[in-house]
Amino acid sequence: MSSPSPLQDLDLSGKVAVVTGCNGGIGQSTAQHLRALGAEVHGTDLATTTNLGDGVLASYHAADLSDDAQLNACAAWITAANPDILVNNAALFDLGSVLDAGLDQYDRLFSINVRGFYALMQAAAKSMVAAEKRGSIINFSSQAGHRGEALVAHYCATKAAVISYTQSAALALADHGIRVNAISPGVVDTPMWKQVDALFARAEGLELGEKKRMVGEAVPLGRMGDPIDVARVVCFLASDLSAYLTAQTIGVDGGNVLR
């Protein structure tokens, strides 16, 4: 008897996926890839409209996850979508060392990157359990979640929390056949990097574009990542190709962080 084709394990036909932060570079590429593999994709982001083209999303929900009413409405929207796959990608970034990153920045970053992230993961998990779906939850950490950085105190802490919650959720949901894993991207060439570059330029006295050039050259593989590099790993974790993988955090960083 012949073995099944790995391509069959990658087929997401009949699956429902929810992608948070779907308008960003990684979220956008992820939604497109999941749709190409046959999934019905639903997306949410802060903006009132999506920048994804026709035919990618089955529905779009605008939400500011720092607002409790909107967060609760987004959680209810996820429940109604009845997902098999959650890509928990929405996040904020800002700079600040322990000398100048105040509690206002703490509240802002933790409200989205941890509190909002957790609420949407919980909504998806409860929906999967109720529907007896053997789902896949994919949370987004960062290479910053594996180490402190002098100028990125609060952001690093939020992304470390994602890794911890991923492990706890994976162990809690294993009996239900639900897998929970995380992805830690490195430096990825997305539109957000224009903002990140400008923040570092001001903090470190660099010319605009210099930080981006420096971090790209420092990657062992010699370049910044592309959103496609990350989306491909999302598809792996969403599919049966990773059926025996849970509680793990996969670095998609070109070798930047050795784990």
Side-chain angles (χ1 to χ4, degrees), residues 90-113:
L92 292 179
F93 176 86
D94 205 351
L95 287 185
S97 76
V98 294
L99 296 175
D100 53 30
L103 293 180
D104 56 339
Q105 187 189 108
Y106 174 96
D107 289 339
R108 187 160 44 87
L109 293 185
F110 270 81
S111 71
I112 302 294
N113 297 5

Side-chain angles (χ1 to χ4, degrees), residues 77-195:
W77 170 78
I78 287 176
T79 300
N82 193 19
D84 301 272
I85 300 158
L86 172 69
V87 182
N88 212 359
N89 167 62
L92 292 179
F93 176 86
D94 205 351
L95 287 185
S97 76
V98 294
L99 296 175
D100 53 30
L103 293 180
D104 56 339
Q105 187 189 108
Y106 174 96
D107 289 339
R108 187 160 44 87
L109 293 185
F110 270 81
S111 71
I112 302 294
N113 297 5
V114 181
R115 193 168 185 270
F117 141 82
Y118 177 81
L120 299 189
M121 178 179 70
Q122 185 180 61
K126 287 184 174 182
S127 173
M128 292 173 185
V129 170
E132 298 184 345
K133 289 190 170 185
R134 300 176 70 84
S136 175
I137 295 174
I138 303 155
N139 296 321
F140 267 76
S141 181
S142 164
Q143 68 177 21
H146 296 270
R147 65 190 186 196
E149 296 187 20
L151 294 177
V152 200
H154 291 328
Y155 181 77
C156 287
T158 66
K159 291 305 185 178
V162 169
I163 295 171
S164 181
Y165 274 122
T166 295
Q167 293 171 352
S168 296
L171 297 177
L173 296 171
D175 284 347
H176 298 279
I178 298 168
R179 299 180 296 108
V180 188
N181 292 289
I183 292 176
S184 288
V187 289
V188 182
D189 194 359
T190 67
M192 190 184 78
W193 245 95
K194 185 176 182 180
Q195 171 202 352

Side-chain angles (χ1 to χ4, degrees), residues 28 32 66 89 125 188 202 218:
Q28 186 179 71
Q32 292 168 337
S66 67
N89 167 62
V188 182
R202 184 167 66 247

